[in-house]
Amino acid sequence: MTIPNISFGPFDLVAVAPYVALGLMLATVLLAVPVLTWFERVTLGLIHDRLGPNRVGPRGLLQPIADGIKLFFKEDILPSNVDRRIFYLAPAISMMPPLVAAALIPLGDFRVDMGGGQTRPLTLVAADINVGILWVLGLASLQVYGLILGGWSSNNKYSLLGALRSSAQAISYELALSLGVLMAVLMSHSMSLVQIVQSQTGGIMHWNILGLFPFGLVAAGVYAIAAVAETNRAPFDLPEAESELVAGYQTEYSSMKFAIFFMSEYAAVVIGSCVAVVLWLGGWDPIHPVLGFIPGPLWFAGKVLLLIFAFVWVRSTLPRFRYDQLMRFGWMRLLPVALVALMLAAAMSAYRTDPSAGSRIPPKPEKPKPLMGGTQSL
Amino acid sequence: MTAHLGTIAFVSLTALTILPAIMVVSTRNLVHAGFWMLPCLIGVAGFYALLEAHFFVVVQILIYIGAILVLIMFALMLTRDVMDPKERQTNAMGVWAGVICGLGLLASAHMLFRHPWVGVTSHPGDAHAQTVALGKALVTRYALPFEAASVLLLAALIAAIVIAKSMRPPAASVGCDGEVSGG
């Protein structure tokens, strides 16, 4: 959609857009915690057929603020035998990756009216990196350090078990996550988050989830499962597992350090949902071009909210995995399915771009190309 | 000016890589040693960034920091006596290993100084082109080394499974002090 150019002093809208995007995303990620705790508890209450928070403020809306104040004023206990430096560092490390990943999420596409009938494209994103999706994966893999460091430094057997579980789980499900993401890259022919969204323009039939049917669906499913596992949410919340390990890696944490672990989990949920929307649900693309009058960022936010609801829904529905079930499912079900789907999807994609590759008719002889293109070097 | 900034970046990255590397080998606490590898590997990723090898930056973070170091930490946390300050840090071969490594360092330094280096100012292309070129090279010109590496990794994988299987106790007696079963 075309929007008028607004100037901010010496800067025009195009120059300001990355900062706007960054500000929006950071605000979303940081504000996600109070809003999502409320949302989660209300939704859980709804699904469990009970009331949920309803005492503080209208419909319990002020409950997160009360919780926040409570956490802030609680005593910050430092157990005597913890590894102090790492104990302090761990919550911060767990909070860092989702905040950095927030800079990579594209929120919308506009055309700016520069006056005189000229328009310029404008993408609402803080940093459009060519290998953006790999960055997101790399950051997701850093997330686990917060858990490992916190669990180990606590010097508590429950914490250590939580840390061990989280590291094994992260390694196992990262593979499936990467393979799922790879299929989106295969469909969109790009690793830039902006280009992945742009390749899905034109309504729901163009979205990657329905691309290379049925492999888009399979890949999105693999991604969804692995993303729940990577964010350590139920039914994959074994690192925390309050019925087995007290509170897992965060047993010894109290007050705001505990709250930061809590925040990082929700921030990861938000980022995971954003990435899923970018990869599979067309980002800011409306469900049908007819609905294009609704601004892209609103579409984006709506889809993200839908996925966050799915996160809560899954949590309220499925019981926690046992450790051996978790490993067996990850390595013997999810990974083979993802691998086979990736291979078939690659074959299908190659066949679609060059049908002769799959048939028995020998392809037309073409000029032998130099392997590396002569001038290019690695 | 940009060359100047490049030098500053290079020097700080070198510090970021080497100081933690020294900590890795000198700290008494094995788990700390593992954690010190984190900034060290990030420094290496920074070098790739400085060389504009965007793909390798991300792969370095994804593979080395995200997977290999996590595995190392996993193994270290299962190790006994990780924080024993009385444990010796070197073994009997330490001196000889030092001599051999020192000679190797001298030899490679000699080669590096003799090599007629050519200053390159061109840019290696954007990340997309690099990634495409790398992918093509891996399945065409470098297909054989690539496959050989895969076979090597497969052998290591099978070996790991064999070792893990033979270590399994015959009866169900796992579960003492912090051991996890499965995996």
Side-chain angles (χ1 to χ4, degrees), chain B residues 106-120:
Chain B
L106 281 179
S108 45
H110 181 67
M111 293 301 287
L112 284 175
F113 281 117
R114 268 169 46 120
H115 188 85
W117 293 105
V118 185
V120 181

Side-chain angles (χ1 to χ4, degrees), chain A residues 85-376:
Chain A
R85 266 180 297 177
I86 294 181
F87 190 75
Y88 272 100
L89 206 59
I93 288 183
S94 75
M95 195 62 207
M96 185 273 289
L99 287 180
V100 177
L104 298 165
I105 306 293
L107 297 171
D109 223 356
F110 298 101
R111 297 203 71 82
V112 183
D113 188 359
M114 303 301 286
Q118 281 188 327
T119 57
R120 271 169 67 182
L122 167 71
T123 307
L124 197 54
V125 60
D128 178 19
I129 301 177
N130 270 316
V131 284
I133 191 61
L134 283 181
W135 260 113
V136 173
L137 282 179
L139 288 167
S141 66
L142 289 185
Q143 178 99 25
V144 67
Y145 278 102
L147 275 67
I148 301 180
L149 290 163
W152 180 80
S153 66
S154 297
N155 203 4
N156 172 320
K157 60 186 168 193
Y158 297 117
S159 302
L160 183 64
L161 277 176
L164 279 171
R165 284 180 172 189
S166 77
S167 54
Q169 181 177 327
I171 293 170
S172 308
Y173 281 79
E174 216 158 72
L175 294 169
L177 188 79
S178 312
L179 288 173
V181 166
L182 215 55
M183 271 188 266
V185 173
L186 189 75
M187 291 175 209
S188 294
H189 302 284
S190 175
M191 285 197 269
S192 145
L193 292 175
V194 172
Q195 283 172 24
I196 288 176
V197 174
Q198 282 166 351
S199 77
Q200 305 177 57
T201 314
I204 191 168
M205 295 311 287
H206 293 85
W207 295 354
N208 276 342
I209 192 166
L210 295 177
L212 295 178
F213 193 80
F215 300 116
L217 269 175
V218 175
V222 168
Y223 175 88
I225 295 170
V228 177
E230 282 281 300
T231 47
N232 296 312
R233 300 261 313 170
F236 294 100
D237 59 344
L238 282 98
E240 201 181 324
E242 70 277 358
S243 52
E244 304 159 27
L245 299 180
V246 189
Y249 64 96
Q250 52 193 10
T251 304
E252 297 287 356
Y253 281 92
S254 52
S255 187
M256 270 320 273
K257 288 208 277 291
F258 165 77
I260 288 175
F261 270 127
F262 207 64
M263 278 171 84
S264 79
E265 181 185 314
Y266 280 102
V269 168
V270 173
I271 295 294
S273 306
C274 286
V275 173
V277 168
V278 165
L279 290 178
W280 310 108
L281 300 180
W284 57 79
D285 191 45
I287 199 161
H288 190 277
V290 171
L291 294 169
F293 59 89
I294 302 173
L298 284 186
W299 277 107
F300 192 85
K303 292 174 190 174
V304 170
L305 267 181
L306 203 69
L307 288 187
I308 290 173
F309 170 73
F311 263 100
V312 179
W313 188 10
V314 166
R315 171 181 169 174
S316 67
T317 315
L318 296 175
R320 184 182 303 126
F321 275 110
R322 224 168 48 212
Y323 188 77
D324 59 322
Q325 291 171 331
L326 173 93
M327 284 295 148
R328 189 163 302 137
F329 180 72
W331 287 101
M332 296 173 76
R333 301 275 184 283
L334 202 59
L335 193 62
V337 165
L339 268 175
V340 170
L342 178 65
M343 276 192 278
L344 292 178
M348 196 168 173
S349 167
Y351 182 78
R352 284 206 180 154
T353 38
D354 177 19
S356 67
S359 70
R360 284 161 188 277
I361 309 161
K364 277 178 277 181
E366 49 180 297
K367 277 187 287 182
K369 275 182 283 187
L371 271 183
M372 296 287 298
T375 51
Q376 266 178 340

